[in-house]
C-alpha cells in the first residue's frame, strides 16, 4: 500500500475518531457490545458441560489475571496508536512476522459473526413461536432438535437474523439499535433476576445451584481450562481486536484499570445470572444427569422453555425474555459485522456498500454451513464436531490464544512495558503494574502455549483430556 493512501486514511480516521465522554460512557459502550449471547447462551452451557463450580472458579481466576492483563494491554495499545488492530500492528512494527498478529485479531470477528447469526436465528424463531402462543410445544422433549434438524427452517431463521444485521449496517442506524438496547438491557437484567429466583426455588433446583457454585476437584480437567479461557476471550471480546478499536476511541484521562475492572464485574454478573437461570432448571426439570448437562449449544433452548411453561404465563414471559435476548444478540452481531466491514474497507478500499455486501456474503456462506450442520449436513463432522461447534472451537480455542500471544509479543518485544505504563499512567496510577508485567511477559504466553498445544492435541486425538 502506498504511503499517501496510508496517510489519507490516518487523516480521515483522525477526524472521525470520536471519543467517549467518561469512564461510565466507556464502560457502558464496551459492555453493550460485550454482553450478548456469550453471557446468556454460551456461559451456562459451558459451565454445565465442563464441571460447574470448577469451571466458574477457573473462569474467575483467568479473568482476574489473564483477562485483566490482556484488556489493559489491548486498550492501551489501541489508545496509544489511535488505530484498530491491523493499523496498530502496522504502526508499531515493520516486521511481517509480527504484523501477522494484526490479521489474527482482525479475522476472528469475521469467523464468529456467521455462526453468531445462526444462534441469533434460533432466538428469533423462539421469539416468533412465543408470539404465536406455542409455549407448551416449545417445552416438549425433542422440540429443539426437531427444529434445528429441519434444514429449511434453520436456514430460514438464520437468514432472517443475518439480513436484519445487514440492513442495520447498510442503513447506518447502529446508534438507534444501541439506544434501544440500552433500555432493553436493564429490563433484561430485572427479568433475568426474577427468572433466576423462580428457577432456583423449584424443587430439586438447589442441587443445580450447588453444582454451579461449589467447585469439585473431580470435575477438573485441562478441557475445563481450555473452555474457560475461550469463554473469557469470547465474553469479554478479548483477543479479536475489538478492544484495540475501543481503546482508540478512549480519551487520555480515562482510568484504564478501573474501567477494566468494571467491565469484568458487569460482564461476569450477567453470565452468572444466566447460569442461575438455566443450570438449576436443568436439575429441577430434566434431572441433573450428566447427559443433560452435556447438552451443549442447545441447553438454553431446551431448559428455558420448560421453566417458562411451568410458570403459567409461559407465552408472555417467553416473549419478553427472547425479545431482550434478541436485542442483546443484535447489538453484538452488529458490532461484530461492523468490525469486519471496516477491516475489509481498510484493506480492500472501495465503498462501505460494496464491503458490507462482501461481508454479508461471507456470513451467508459460513453461516449456512453452520445452520445446515444440524440438518442435511449433519454427517459433516470436523474432528468429531458439528460445523457450528467447529467454528466456535477454531476461533475460541485456537485463533484467540494465537491472537493474544501476538499482543504479548507486541508489548514485550516492540512497544515495551515502559511505554505501556506511560500510557496507562496518563490517566491514573498503574496499581497492578507488577502483576501486569509478570502476566504478559511470562505467565500468559506460557499458559497460552500449553493450552493451545493441548487443545490441538486433544482434537487430533493424540491425548485424551
Ligand atoms: N462478547 C460478545 C458476547 O458475549 C460476543 C462478541 C465477541 C462480540 N466478539 C465481539 C460482540 C465483538 C461485539 C464485538 O456475546
Amino acid at each position: 500500500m502506498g504511503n499517501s493512501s496510508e496517510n489519507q486514511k490516518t487523516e480521515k480516521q483522525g477526524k472521525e475518531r470520536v471519543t467517549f465522554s467518561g469512564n461510565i460512557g466507556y464502560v457502558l459502550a464496551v459492555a453493550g457490545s460485550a454482553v450478548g449471547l456469550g453471557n446468556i447462551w454460551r456461559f451456562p452451557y459451558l459451565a454445565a458441560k465442563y464441571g460447574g463450580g470448577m469451571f466458574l472458579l477457573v473462569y474467575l481466576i483467568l479473568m482476574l489475571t489473564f483477562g485483566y492483563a490482556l484488556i489493559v494491554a489491548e486498550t492501551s495499545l489501541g489508545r496509544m496508536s489511535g488505530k484498530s488492530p491491523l493499523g496498530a500492528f502496522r504502526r508499531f512494527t515493520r516486521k511481517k512476522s509480527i504484523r501477522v498478529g494484526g490479521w489474527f485479531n482482525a479475522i476472528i470477528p469475521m469467523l464468529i459473526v456467521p455462526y453468531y447469526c445462526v444462534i441469533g436465528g434460533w432466538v428469533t424463531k423462539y421469539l416468533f413461536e412465543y408470539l404465536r402462543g406455542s409455549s407448551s410445544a416449545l417445552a416438549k422433549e425433542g422440540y429443539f432438535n426437531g427444529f434445528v434438524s429441519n434444514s429449511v427452517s434453520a436456514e430460514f431463521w438464520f437468514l432472517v437474523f443475518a439480513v436484519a444485521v445487514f440492513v442495520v449496517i447498510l442503513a447506518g442506524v447502529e446508534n438507534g439499535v444501541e439506544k434501544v438496547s440500552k433500555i432493553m438491557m436493564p429490563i433484561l437484567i430485572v427479568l433475568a433476576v426474577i427468572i433466576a429466583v423462580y428457577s432456583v426455588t423449584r424443587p430439586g433446583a438447589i442441587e443445580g445451584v450447588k453444582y454451579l457454585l461449589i467447585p469439585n476437584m473431580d470435575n477438573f480437567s485441562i478441557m475445563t481450562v481450555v473452555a474457560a479461557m475461550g469463554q473469557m476471550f469470547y465474553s469479554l471480546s478479548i483477543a479479536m481486536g475489538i478492544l484495540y478499536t475501543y481503546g482508540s476511541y478512549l480519551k487520555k484521562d480515562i482510568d484504564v484499570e478501573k474501567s477494566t475492572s468494571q467491565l469484568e464485574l458487569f460482564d461476569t454478573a450477567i453470565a452468572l445470572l444466566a447460569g442461575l437461570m438455566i443450570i438449576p432448571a436443568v436439575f429441577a426439570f430434566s434431572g441433573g444427569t450428566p447427559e443433560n448437562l452435556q447438552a451443549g449449544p442447545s441447553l438454553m433452548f431446551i431448559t428455558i422453555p420448560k421453566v417458562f411453561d411451568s410458570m403459567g404465563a409461559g407465552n408472555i414471559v417467553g416473549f419478553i425474555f427472547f425479545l431482550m435476548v434478541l436485542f442483546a444478540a443484535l447489538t453484538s452481531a452488529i458490532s461484530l459485522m461492523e468490525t469486519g466491514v471496516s477491516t475489509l474497507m481498510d484493506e480492500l478500499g472501495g465503498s462501505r456498500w460494496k464491503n458490507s455486501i462482501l461481508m454479508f456474503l461471507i456470513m451467508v456462506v459460513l453461516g449456512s454451513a453452520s445452520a445446515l450442520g444440524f440438518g442435511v449436513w449433519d454427517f459433516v463432522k470436523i474432528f468429531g464436531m458439528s460445523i457450528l461447534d467447529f467454528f466456535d472451537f477454531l476461533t475460541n480455542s485456537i485463533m484467540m490464544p494465537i491472537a493474544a500471544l501476538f499482543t504479548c509479543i507486541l508489548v514485550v518485544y516492540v512497544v515495551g512495558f515502559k511505554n505501556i505504563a506511560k500510557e496507562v499512567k496518563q490517566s491514573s496510577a498503574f496499581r497492578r503494574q507488577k502483576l501486569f508485567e509478570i502476566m504478559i511477559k511470562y505467565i500468559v504466553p506460557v499458559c497460552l502455549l500449553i493450552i493451545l498445544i493441548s487443545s490441538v492435541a486433544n482434537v487430533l486425538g493424540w491425548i485424551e483430556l
Side-chain angles (χ1 to χ4, degrees):
M1 193 174 304
N3 240 349
S4 62
S5 75
E6 185 87 58
N7 286 346
Q8 261 174 3
K9 216 165 34 194
T10 319
E11 237 180 69
K12 209 171 96 217
Q13 282 183 349
K15 238 182 264 160
E16 282 170 6
R17 221 159 264 278
V18 283
T19 49
F20 294 109
S21 47
N23 248 340
I24 287 299
Y26 171 71
V27 172
L28 283 181
V30 181
S33 88
V35 173
L37 292 172
N39 309 62
I40 303 164
W41 155 76
R42 202 170 185 276
F43 177 85
Y45 93 67
L46 285 175
K49 190 165 171 179
Y50 292 108
M54 202 62 225
F55 177 88
L56 182 62
L57 180 68
V58 174
Y59 181 83
L60 290 175
I61 293 173
L62 284 178
M63 186 186 71
L64 293 172
T65 53
F66 265 57
Y68 155 78
L70 283 166
I71 295 178
V72 170
E74 291 190 17
T75 317
S76 348
L77 288 170
R79 189 166 79 172
M80 214 187 269
S81 65
K83 294 227 161 45
S84 44
L86 275 173
F89 273 80
R90 240 183 237 142
R91 153 119 190 220
F92 288 126
T93 177
R94 293 201 156 273
K95 286 211 184 80
K96 285 232 163 57
S97 52
I98 300 185
R99 282 185 174 185
V100 176
W103 277 105
F104 266 94
N105 277 283
I107 286 177
I108 292 168
M110 299 189 197
L111 293 179
I112 292 183
V113 70
Y115 81 80
Y116 204 87
C117 289
V118 174
I119 317 291
W122 297 351
V123 172
T124 319
K125 155 82 175 174
Y126 272 55
L127 176 64
F128 174 73
E129 289 299 332
Y130 278 111
L131 191 63
R132 288 208 309 179
S134 320
S135 173
S136 48
L138 293 174
K140 286 215 176 69
E141 216 55 63
Y143 181 90
F144 178 79
N145 287 335
F147 159 56
V148 291
S149 60
N150 177 344
S151 299
V152 178
S153 68
E155 177 70 16
F156 172 78
W157 289 104
F158 153 64
L159 285 175
V160 168
F161 187 87
V163 168
V165 174
F166 180 50
V167 168
V168 171
I169 296 269
L170 276 191
V173 290
E174 292 96 319
N175 286 338
V177 177
E178 189 89 1
K179 281 207 188 93
V180 178
S181 162
K182 285 219 176 95
I183 305 166
M184 294 293 214
M185 198 60 78
I187 308 178
L188 175 70
I189 295 173
V190 173
L191 195 67
V193 171
I194 297 172
I195 298 169
V197 169
Y198 179 82
S199 185
V200 301
T201 50
R202 292 310 89 197
I206 199 71
E207 283 310 310
V209 179
K210 284 191 200 149
Y211 178 73
L212 175 62
L213 298 181
I214 303 173
N216 178 348
M217 219 26 225
D218 297 341
N219 292 333
F220 182 85
S221 79
I222 290 283
M223 273 321 273
T224 314
V225 185
V226 173
M229 187 199 58
Q231 172 60 15
M232 180 199 74
F233 288 154
Y234 189 97
S235 189
L236 292 166
S237 319
I238 310 177
M240 55 185 94
I242 307 291
L243 295 171
Y244 281 87
T245 313
Y246 273 107
S248 72
Y249 297 135
L250 200 57
K251 276 196 187 156
K252 296 284 184 194
D253 59 352
I254 288 179
D255 187 331
V256 176
E257 276 193 315
K258 200 162 117 204
S259 35
T260 301
S261 308
Q262 286 169 344
L263 173 66
E264 290 189 327
L265 193 70
F266 191 70
D267 195 76
T268 308
I270 296 188
L272 252 187
L273 205 53
L276 283 173
M277 232 163 49
I278 293 171
I279 294 177
V282 178
F283 283 76
F285 292 93
S286 320
T289 60
E291 195 184 301
N292 284 327
L293 289 171
Q294 299 292 319
S298 56
L299 190 68
M300 172 173 111
F301 296 90
I302 294 175
T303 50
I304 281 285
K306 291 184 183 166
V307 177
F308 292 166
D309 202 47
S310 80
M311 284 173 128
N315 285 310
I316 299 169
V317 183
F319 176 75
I320 304 176
F321 177 77
F322 277 97
L323 186 67
M324 310 294 146
V325 177
L326 181 67
F327 268 92
L330 262 180
T331 47
S332 290
I334 290 165
S335 54
L336 278 164
M337 180 170 179
E338 180 69 53
T339 320
V341 172
S342 56
T343 302
L344 290 177
M345 271 170 78
D346 282 354
E347 294 311 303
L348 307 177
S351 67
R352 200 181 149 75
W353 252 93
K354 200 182 88 190
N355 287 293
S356 304
I357 292 172
L358 181 59
M359 188 63 228
F360 181 67
L361 291 178
I362 298 175
M363 280 157 66
V364 170
V365 172
L366 298 182
S368 298
S370 297
L372 299 179
F374 298 105
V376 283
W377 284 353
D378 70 352
F379 61 88
V380 181
K381 291 276 177 282
I382 310 171
F383 302 118
M385 288 174 266
S386 69
I387 302 175
L388 189 148
D389 277 320
F390 172 72
F391 274 114
D392 192 71
F393 178 81
L394 175 70
T395 47
N396 287 276
S397 303
I398 311 267
M399 293 181 73
M400 292 187 201
I402 297 177
L405 261 179
F406 273 108
T407 295
C408 296
I409 292 173
L410 194 60
V411 170
V412 176
Y413 295 106
V414 181
V415 177
F417 284 114
K418 264 206 207 101
N419 287 325
I420 298 275
K422 227 176 19 200
E423 182 63 39
V424 173
K425 283 178 186 161
Q426 285 189 357
S427 39
S428 65
F430 196 173
R431 288 167 290 263
R432 283 179 272 173
Q433 185 171 357
K434 264 266 130 2
L435 171 71
F436 174 81
E437 295 186 1
I438 294 171
M439 288 307 299
I440 294 284
K441 198 161 178 186
Y442 305 106
I443 303 183
V444 173
V446 170
C447 293
L448 282 175
L449 277 177
I450 294 174
I451 286 168
L452 191 61
I453 293 167
S454 48
S455 63
V456 172
N458 183 42
V459 154
L460 296 178
W462 296 343
I463 50 168
E464 193 70 43
L465 295 178

